Amino acid sequence: MPRPTDQAKRRDLLERVRAYVRGHGLSELSLRPLARALGTSDRMLLYYFGTKERMVAEALALDEQRPILRLRQLLGSHDPPRDAAALRRTMERVWQQFHVPDIQASLPLYLEMMATSVLHPERFGPVMRDILTEWTDLTNGLLTGLGLPPARARTEAALLVDGTFGLLLAPLADGDRDRSDRAFVLLLDRLEPGWRTPEA
């Protein structure tokens, strides 16, 4: 019978893994140097998490300040958006969450994961798909709540989520966050009319 996993130890490792990858990145992440830095062994990391990719995914998901979780909290404490203007205000608040320094510090990791998932789909491909699906499903639910037909809502959600991710990652290359802020406003200007139903 396998021994039970020490959940407190597991969570502590995840917290330290998250701090390590934020400081060192993912491109050259290797289990043995990571294990040495954490004061454990690569065998113990595999025991707790199974694979390096799963370990990284869980470490990033542990962040309780992730914008997706903040959005869920916001929606849980307020009535859902009832019209296109209210949904726009909600998305503007989400965008501001990405300006929080702790979130900004994590964005390069997502860029690395995205690039790696393209070159090596077996590594972080499932992780990136899960992230994009989580955002798209939530946004799709908000749009169908406005009365959009399901197919149209799904397309509008994909356009908003994919456009937003692109605008978040582009400044990592050139540092021009102001341009991305202006572009996000324009993106909402272009999309908001499409969120209106004939009754609105």
mmCIF file of all heavy atoms in Angstrom, residues 13 35 80:
data_model
loop_
_atom_site.group_PDB
_atom_site.id
_atom_site.type_symbol
_atom_site.label_atom_id
_atom_site.label_comp_id
_atom_site.label_asym_id
_atom_site.label_seq_id
_atom_site.Cartn_x
_atom_site.Cartn_y
_atom_site.Cartn_z
ATOM 1 N N LEU A 13 6.501 22.696 -1.175
ATOM 2 C CA LEU A 13 7.345 22.518 -2.359
ATOM 3 C C LEU A 13 6.815 23.332 -3.534
ATOM 4 O O LEU A 13 7.580 23.967 -4.267
ATOM 5 C CB LEU A 13 7.423 21.040 -2.731
ATOM 6 C CG LEU A 13 8.343 20.169 -1.874
ATOM 7 C CD1 LEU A 13 8.161 18.692 -2.225
ATOM 8 C CD2 LEU A 13 9.800 20.576 -2.047
ATOM 9 N N ALA A 35 15.929 20.531 -7.529
ATOM 10 C CA ALA A 35 15.848 19.773 -6.285
ATOM 11 C C ALA A 35 16.930 20.221 -5.302
ATOM 12 O O ALA A 35 16.666 20.369 -4.100
ATOM 13 C CB ALA A 35 15.965 18.277 -6.575
ATOM 14 N N PRO A 80 -24.010 39.275 -12.271
ATOM 15 C CA PRO A 80 -23.273 39.178 -13.544
ATOM 16 C C PRO A 80 -23.634 40.344 -14.455
ATOM 17 O O PRO A 80 -24.703 40.947 -14.302
ATOM 18 C CB PRO A 80 -23.743 37.836 -14.118
ATOM 19 C CG PRO A 80 -25.068 37.588 -13.479
ATOM 20 C CD PRO A 80 -24.985 38.175 -12.099
#
